[in-house]
Amino acid sequence: MEVVLDQEHAAQWTYRGEGAMNLVLAYSGSSPAYIGKVLRIQKVPRNESNSDKSLTALGLHERLVWKETEDIVSSPTRELAGHMFLEHVISPLLGSKYVDVGKRVKVSREFLELVEKNVLSQRPAWRVDASKVDTRCDSVLILSDHSIFPTGIQEGEPCLCVEIKPKCGFLPISEFIGEENRIKQSVSRYKMHQALKLHGKEISSFSEYDPLDLFSGVMDRIQKSIKDLFSSPQNNFRVFLDGSLIFGTLGGIADSTNSVIQEAFEDALKDVIVGDQGRRTDSFIQLIAETIYTSGVMERLIKLQKLDNLDIEGAIHAYYNIISEPCKVCRELGEEKVRDKYTTLHSISLDESLKIVKNFLIGTTAKDCSLMMSFKLKKEGDTESTYDSVYLKSTSQTFDYKACFIDLDLKPFENMQEYYEKDKKIVSCYTQMVKSEQEVEKN
């Protein structure tokens, strides 16, 4: 495959946003081949500048985990393995209608270096400090721009798009959760994580959003979850109009929504949602909630999330079985607790251990992805649309919509210990916060 994107193309790709692992650029040029496309460019941590992790194939244990999918195991680089994971594991599970596998295109080092330079000023400072473009990659992933409708570009119709990062939508019921961590079975991971983020000054205030509402299948609770996301978007909620951001932040964390932001958003909706000033936002929230309620997309996602049925407190023991090392977790927990609860996990077969870790990693991918839903007004008398549609009762409008999950990354096998430590930190921080609040109430 010849180099497709070189330094002369760099100026045609503009900053769209980023996550922990990838930079996203949208096409702003005039080539028919790229109109309506975005690029996902891999990043590398600044403190691992000499690391060649992304350029090497999967390690021995990781190849064991994915041994049933030859295309993943035989991939020459981690980034290609991630693409195969998307195509052969995630797409069949979620449904190809909801997953854009994309394709890889060759790029030159000069293209990547110039792109990084061009977007530097638009990236959040903390993202710049944490990571940079991995200029050693020789290909990038090109995908459809899911913030727009392909037909909308051609016909000049406005397109509204919402991006939601739902997070984990269920409470774990694993028997391997320790007595001291039972809080995990009554409070969502997202709510607990808020305490750690606040403690670390990553956020300035708690969000009322609870993923359990979004995944509930109950209309009132779904609508509440969208309202809560709108009130405190953080990095979990963004809205685009014709591909341009009109609410939330690109790659950063948005604070609580004030009256100025709300008024600007209300005004931006006027070309898409009918209604008096002050009422369009409510109709927008109803539109999102109605689409989630009727589309069944959350039911698809939660099935993947629930593949993690033992929680990290169970899966970590299977991880130590696979790497054939004495279990550090058991050593920390003490002999009595291990004998009572975890001995059975260390006596299972290698294949059983591989299945547990594999399902945990797929579940973790599903807990960390984003959902993009794009809307355009359905034309009167249009009976040939290939898209699903939703009726917005408050405005008597019908919208065509499409839904797609993005950021479905292959999670590294070697991160298992890190996941375990972070879980401990989240629970501990939340527990301490609750205790402090209770002491204040007593006094």
Side-chain angles (χ1 to χ4, degrees), residues 59-105:
L60 172 64
H61 298 121
E62 209 160 16
R63 291 202 301 275
L64 274 177
V65 170
W66 301 109
K67 64 181 180 178
E68 291 169 9
T69 312
E70 176 58 33
D71 283 351
I72 295 178
V73 174
S74 61
S75 292
T77 66
R78 171 166 285 280
E79 58 178 331
L80 286 173
H83 193 205
M84 293 299 102
F85 167 74
L86 188 62
E87 186 174 337
H88 297 295
V89 178
I90 295 296
S91 184
L93 288 171
L94 269 180
S96 57
K97 177 182 176 181
Y98 301 100
V99 179
D100 182 359
V101 172
K103 66 175 184 176
R104 301 206 73 83
V105 295

Side-chain angles (χ1 to χ4, degrees), residues 18-52:
E18 62 187 290
M21 299 175 72
N22 298 283
L23 196 68
V24 181
L25 306 179
Y27 186 66
S28 59
S30 56
S31 169
Y34 299 122
I35 290 174
K37 302 292 184 184
V38 295
L39 290 184
R40 288 186 84 209
I41 299 177
Q42 194 161 320
K43 300 192 299 182
V44 63
R46 286 197 185 273
N47 61 5
E48 290 182 24
S49 55
N50 296 321
S51 164
D52 61 353

Side-chain angles (χ1 to χ4, degrees), residues 248-302:
T249 63
L250 293 174
I253 292 176
D255 277 327
S256 299
T257 303
N258 58 34
S259 57
V260 175
I261 294 169
Q262 191 157 346
E263 200 169 315
F265 181 69
E266 179 79 20
D267 193 54
L269 291 175
K270 66 180 184 295
D271 291 331
V272 186
I273 294 177
V274 299
D276 298 332
Q277 188 75 10
R279 295 190 175 179
R280 290 189 285 267
T281 300
D282 286 341
S283 293
F284 161 79
I285 288 168
Q286 287 168 21
L287 174 65
I288 306 308
E290 183 67 37
T291 308
I292 285 171
Y293 180 74
T294 57
S295 66
V297 288
M298 289 302 150
E299 286 89 337
R300 287 178 173 273
L301 186 60
I302 206 161

Side-chain angles (χ1 to χ4, degrees), residues 125-139:
W126 67 278
R127 291 284 195 193
V128 174
D129 291 341
S131 60
K132 60 181 182 177
V133 168
D134 192 345
T135 54
R136 301 159 304 163
C137 296
D138 63 357
S139 68

Side-chain angles (χ1 to χ4, degrees), residues 324-374:
S324 302
E325 285 184 16
C327 181
K328 290 179 185 175
V329 174
C330 286
R331 198 168 64 220
E332 285 170 15
L333 290 170
E335 199 174 306
E336 193 177 326
K337 282 188 179 179
V338 170
R339 187 175 61 245
D340 291 347
K341 192 171 278 188
Y342 303 107
T343 307
T344 52
L345 275 176
H346 288 295
S347 60
I348 61 176
S349 68
L350 175 60
D351 276 349
E352 287 175 294
S353 294
L354 291 168
K355 185 179 179 183
I356 289 168
V357 171
K358 177 182 175 180
N359 284 343
F360 174 84
L361 293 172
I362 294 171
T364 303
T365 292
K367 293 172 195 173
D368 206 30
C369 72
S370 290
L371 169 67
M372 295 195 80
M373 292 188 298
S374 305

